[in-house]
């Protein structure tokens, strides 16, 4: 029955110490006050043995602490019933021996304790007999301390479970972002390929823009959050690339309103909605197609509104691609029940409204 170490967790130490201190001092003090008031009919009588109580309960505090942190809590956390039983049995035996020889010796040699208590301590010290009783130890120490250990273990498990869930969410978010990167690059490289086939003079500027966007994705988008202003700058670069591709017969508008300088957002969260608008709104458009994007922030929330034309050849087709399915999962993780996403398929127009809380 050997405990490997003292299981003292700073997070719960104050609660544990407070409970053990109360068990050692306060309960005895309350008991003495009640005895003085109801039996001796003089509440001030409890002060007669105050020095005695200071010594005995200070020693009890030390014994309870060693028993709890050194042994009992270890076995409770290990879910070892046998260990709990054996260390509790050992505690009763060793506590009686400690009281018999150590506590009584200290009492007998402490000057501020009354003569009556010092004499009683000497008498008990000289008596060779040791009477072991279990009932009082069970009620006053073992059961309360065991309950405390189980409560702390429950709190610890809840925190560990919460930490594990957070780690799983972070892993899932990283996985979803990793999916987004190749999806984005695949689409953009296809755009550059189309321009190259036409030997367009816009190919080089588009490659330069792509380089800037790649730098952002590789060196900034792996952070948990980025300034919204930085994310908007990235989106602006992406929209400029799309403007290069769709120069004739299209109406592309990008409006930003009321951005708060301190606001941060999960990187690449808005891109799929904008990318989707260009892919499905202008890819097959041969007439006057449009993409209108508005990002507006107030003190309460951040709103993204995206609307795009629907070409005749695309009517009846699903407009939500891989990126939209991806971002829905990310929104569920980042803002569980706290965001609003509306997608409306009106005649000739597809509209998306995303509202995020300012948190």
């Amino acid at each position: 029955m050997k405990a490997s170490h003292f299981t003292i967790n700073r997070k719960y130490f104050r609660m544990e110490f407070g409970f053990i201190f109360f068990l050692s001092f306060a309960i005895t003090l309350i008991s003495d006050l009640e005895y003085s008031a109801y039996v001796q009919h003089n509440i001030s009588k409890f002060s007669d043995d105050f020095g005695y109580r200071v010594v005995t309960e200070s020693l009890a505090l030390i014994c309870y602490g060693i028993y709890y942190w050194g042994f009992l809590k270890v076995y409770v956390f290990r879910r070892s019933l046998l260990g709990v039983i054996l260390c509790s049995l050992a505690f009763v035996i060793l506590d009686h021996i400690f009281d018999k020889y150590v506590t009584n010796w200290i009492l007998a040699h402490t000057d501020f304790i009354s003569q009556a208590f010092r004499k009683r301590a000497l008498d008990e010290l000289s008596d060779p007999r040791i009477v072991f009783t279990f009932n009082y130890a069970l009620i006053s120490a073992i059961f309360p301390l065991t309950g405390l250990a189980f409560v702390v273990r429950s709190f610890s498990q809840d925190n560990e479970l919460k930490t594990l869930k957070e780690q799983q969410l972070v892993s899932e978010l990283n996985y979803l972002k990793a999916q987004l990167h190749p999806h984005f690059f695949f689409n953009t490289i296809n755009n550059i390929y189309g321009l190259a086939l036409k030997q367009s003079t816009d190919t080089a500027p588009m490659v330069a823009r792509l380089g800037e966007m790649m730098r952002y994705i590789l060196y900034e988008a792996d952070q948990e959050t980025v300034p919204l202003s930085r994310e908007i700058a990235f989106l602006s670069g992406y929209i400029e690339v799309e403007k290069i591709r769709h120069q004739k017969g299209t109406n592309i508008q990008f409006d930003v309103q009321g951005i708060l300088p301190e606001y941060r957002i999960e990187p690449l969260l808005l891109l799929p909605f904008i990318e989707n608008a260009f892919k499905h709104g202008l890819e097959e458009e041969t007439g006057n197609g449009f993409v209108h994007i508005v990002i507006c922030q107030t003190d309460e929330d951040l709103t993204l509104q995206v609307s795009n034309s629907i070409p005749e050849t695309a009517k009846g087709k699903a407009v939500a691609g891989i990126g939209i399915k991806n971002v829905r999962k990310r929104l569920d993780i980042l803002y569980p029940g706290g965001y609003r996403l509306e997608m409306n398929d009106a005649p000739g127009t597809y509209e998306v409204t995303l509202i995020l809380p300012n948190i």
Side-chain angles (χ1 to χ4, degrees), residues 52-110:
Y52 169 81
R53 288 302 181 191
V54 169
V55 173
T56 56
E57 303 318 320
S58 296
L59 294 173
L61 178 65
I62 295 172
C63 291
Y64 289 171
I66 294 173
Y67 165 61
Y68 176 78
W69 282 300
F71 298 92
L72 179 63
K73 187 179 175 183
V74 175
Y75 292 115
V76 168
F77 271 61
R78 290 179 183 175
R79 295 182 173 85
S80 173
L81 178 60
L82 180 61
V84 170
I85 293 173
L86 291 178
C87 78
S88 297
L89 179 63
F91 168 74
V92 173
I93 295 172
L94 294 175
D95 186 58
H96 277 78
I97 295 173
F98 183 86
D99 282 344
K100 170 73 174 180
Y101 296 106
V102 178
T103 303
N104 283 322
W105 187 91
I106 293 174
L107 289 171
H109 294 82
T110 302

Side-chain angles (χ1 to χ4, degrees), residues 211-271:
E212 294 174 4
M213 290 186 288
M214 286 183 65
R215 188 177 296 108
Y216 174 78
I217 288 178
L218 293 175
Y219 298 109
E220 297 183 55
D222 60 342
Q223 302 177 42
E224 185 176 346
T225 60
V226 295
L228 177 58
S229 57
R230 186 68 188 91
E231 182 76 1
I232 289 176
F234 167 78
L235 295 175
S236 179
Y238 176 79
I239 293 168
E240 288 300 318
V241 169
E242 292 294 346
K243 285 182 178 180
I244 293 173
R245 293 183 58 228
H246 305 283
Q247 291 182 340
K248 297 179 181 180
T250 58
N251 182 0
I252 300 174
Q253 297 180 10
F254 181 42
D255 187 21
V256 179
Q257 304 170 8
I259 300 304
L260 302 176
E262 72 278 4
Y263 186 80
R264 300 180 69 85
I265 191 173
E266 212 256 2
L268 307 179
L269 189 63
L270 306 180
L271 174 64

Side-chain angles (χ1 to χ4, degrees), residues 135-189:
N135 186 60
Y136 180 77
L138 286 172
I139 296 173
S140 64
I142 294 175
F143 286 163
L145 292 176
T146 302
L148 174 64
F150 274 101
V151 168
V152 173
R153 191 187 78 174
S154 177
F155 287 164
S156 299
Q157 289 175 334
D158 288 344
N159 286 329
E160 289 173 0
L161 182 61
K162 181 181 178 181
T163 301
L164 180 60
K165 287 182 178 179
E166 290 174 350
Q167 290 173 346
Q168 289 174 336
L169 290 178
V170 170
S171 297
E172 187 172 354
L173 282 172
N174 289 336
Y175 171 72
L176 292 172
K177 284 198 287 186
Q179 281 186 315
L180 178 62
H181 296 177
H183 175 71
F184 165 74
F185 285 128
F186 176 77
N187 288 344
T188 308
I189 290 172

